[in-house]
Amino acid sequence: FMVAGCGLGVSKYDDAILDGASNLNTGKPEKALEDFNRAIKIDPQKAAGYLGRANTLNVMGRYKECLEDYDKVVEINPKLANAYINRGSAYSHLGEYEKAIADYEKGLELDPDIDDKPGFISRLFSDAPNTDKGIRRHLEFLKRKVQEKESKS
């Protein structure tokens, strides 16, 4: 069913997704979580609700929680580069560098230009080194960390 808004037909699902994105981008993650939960309840077969909720949990530093939603997203849509990149970020924060590397590489393979999207990177790597350099630079950093760890053991 469609809801008319500004003369455009916007579904309740899309409405929930837009509300969630707006709340997340204006620093209201708790409100965004409610919106994305609403979207998932409306249509649990669509990836956008899970992706939004996962990104919100990721921004809130709830890294372990967001992984389940990212897994669901790639199960629904295995070609969504954003899901792999953001899941990689969560793995990176959790110190699971091998998994982070695999996800970053998969995301970059699916969308080689994802590294160039403005604003995306600054949000993603807020407390990681080389934050201004993007995904590829962070990927190299993680590979060095894994090599250092392996050479110590």
Side-chain angles (χ1 to χ4, degrees), residues 38-56:
R38 190 171 87 232
I40 291 165
K41 210 166 158 182
I42 293 167
D43 191 345
Q45 304 306 312
K46 286 187 179 172
Y50 296 102
L51 183 62
R53 185 169 71 182
N55 288 345
T56 303

Side-chain angles (χ1 to χ4, degrees), residues 138-150:
H138 190 68
L139 184 55
E140 292 310 310
F141 166 79
L142 291 177
K143 286 179 177 177
R144 282 195 303 277
K145 273 188 98 73
V146 168
Q147 284 172 340
E148 287 166 18
K149 199 167 75 176
E150 286 170 353

Side-chain angles (χ1 to χ4, degrees), residues 1-5 8-15 38-39 41-43 46:
F1 39 7
M2 304 297 267
V3 180
L8 297 171
V10 178
S11 72
K12 287 186 177 187
Y13 181 85
D14 291 339
D15 199 39
R38 190 171 87 232
K41 210 166 158 182
I42 293 167
D43 191 345
K46 286 187 179 172

Side-chain angles (χ1 to χ4, degrees), residues 4-151:
C6 307
L8 297 171
V10 178
S11 72
K12 287 186 177 187
Y13 181 85
D14 291 339
D15 199 39
I17 296 295
L18 293 170
D19 288 348
S22 172
N23 282 317
L24 184 57
N25 290 330
T26 55
K28 295 180 273 205
E30 284 82 9
K31 193 94 186 76
L33 270 185
E34 291 173 23
D35 297 323
F36 292 123
N37 284 333
R38 190 171 87 232
I40 291 165
K41 210 166 158 182
I42 293 167
D43 191 345
Q45 304 306 312
K46 286 187 179 172
Y50 296 102
L51 183 62
R53 185 169 71 182
N55 288 345
T56 303
L57 291 168
N58 204 346
V59 165
M60 294 169 85
R62 292 162 64 177
Y63 306 117
K64 281 193 166 82
E65 284 178 78
C66 72
L67 291 175
E68 200 175 304
D69 279 342
Y70 286 130
D71 292 346
K72 184 78 176 162
V73 173
V74 298
E75 180 187 309
I76 294 169
N77 183 353
K79 300 235 179 286
L80 203 57
N82 184 323
Y84 292 98
I85 296 296
N86 287 326
R87 187 173 67 180
S89 169
Y91 279 133
S92 177
H93 284 289
L94 290 168
E96 297 186 42
Y97 302 130
E98 289 91 348
K99 289 179 178 178
I101 289 166
D103 273 350
Y104 287 137
E105 287 178 339
K106 180 70 176 173
L108 287 165
E109 175 193 316
L110 290 168
D111 182 0
D113 298 330
I114 200 164
D115 216 357
D116 306 323
K117 295 185 173 38
F120 183 69
I121 304 306
S122 60
R123 190 182 77 246
L124 214 54
F125 304 121
S126 54
D127 63 356
N130 296 321
T131 55
D132 56 329
K133 304 300 193 295
I135 297 164
R136 287 177 178 84
R137 196 60 71 84
H138 190 68
L139 184 55
E140 292 310 310
F141 166 79
L142 291 177
K143 286 179 177 177
R144 282 195 303 277
K145 273 188 98 73
V146 168
Q147 284 172 340
E148 287 166 18
K149 199 167 75 176
E150 286 170 353
S151 66

